[in-house]
């Protein structure tokens, strides 16, 4: 078995001269991802309907798309993933007794400043945060993970404001 030693995609940079009013002519640098053939990698947009899908299964599959693990040119140290829009986050399913037993904690940093909410309270007040936190905890824990999380858009209802990007609907395993 032959081991692939070079990454399947890399970061490329183009330089161009731009005329400005104050500084005159300056050099502008634009960075982008290219695959092993030198073709520019375009990021796609996907819509996921979270109605009656278990939260963990939903978050795992969304994390795979955000990281780009569903693509043949996945490279661990680069952000090769796509954008994901999640609609109907308020209808996501929590199995078993998780609605009452699962706790979400936040800490202000002061003594006695820890707050807790059950999953039921979070679903009533902030259903989008439940999905966002589940996906966040399945992404890498460094700056690359935060960059990937910015490509996740979560909405509690069926409407979203990204129609101009022409997102494709993807079906997840239920």
């Amino acid at each position: 078995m032959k081991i692939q030693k070079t990454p399947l995609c890399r970061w490329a940079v183009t330089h161009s001269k731009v005329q400005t009013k104050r500084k005159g002519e300056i050099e502008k640098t634009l960075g982008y991802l290219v695959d092993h053939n030198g073709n520019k990698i375009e990021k796609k947009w996907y819509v996921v309907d979270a109605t009656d899908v278990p939260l963990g299964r939903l978050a795992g599959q969304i994390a795979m798309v955000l990281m780009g693990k569903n693509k043949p040119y996945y490279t661990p140290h680069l952000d090769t993933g796509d954008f994901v829009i999640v609609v109907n986050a308020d209808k996501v399913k929590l199995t078993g007794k998780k609605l009452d037993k699962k706790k979400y904690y936040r800490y202000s940093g002061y003594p006695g400043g820890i707050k807790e909410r059950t999953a039921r309270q979070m679903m009533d007040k902030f259903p989008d945060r439940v999905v966002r936190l589940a996906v966040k905890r399945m992404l890498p824990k460094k700056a690359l993970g935060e960059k990937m999380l910015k490509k996740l858009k979560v909405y509690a209802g069926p409407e979203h404001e990204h129609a101009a990007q022409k997102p494709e609907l993807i079906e997840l395993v239920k």
Side-chain angles (χ1 to χ4, degrees), residues 105-148:
Y105 296 98
R106 56 195 174 99
Y107 180 54
S108 67
Y110 289 98
I114 192 162
K115 309 280 186 186
E116 75 174 37
R117 284 192 175 137
T118 64
R120 185 179 303 277
Q121 292 169 335
M122 284 289 282
M123 288 297 290
D124 291 341
K125 198 162 186 178
F126 308 108
D128 54 331
R129 287 190 198 171
V130 173
V131 175
R132 180 176 298 280
L133 278 172
V135 173
K136 178 182 179 180
R137 292 169 182 171
M138 293 189 181
L139 291 174
K141 306 298 186 270
K142 302 287 182 177
L144 186 61
E146 290 184 17
K147 186 177 177 184
M148 291 173 184

Side-chain angles (χ1 to χ4, degrees), residues 18-38:
V18 178
Q19 189 68 29
T20 63
K21 289 182 180 178
R22 266 182 59 210
K23 294 186 177 180
E25 190 174 276
I26 61 170
E27 187 172 324
K28 182 178 177 183
T29 305
L30 178 67
Y32 53 92
L33 285 173
V34 294
D35 61 4
H36 63 284
N37 293 329

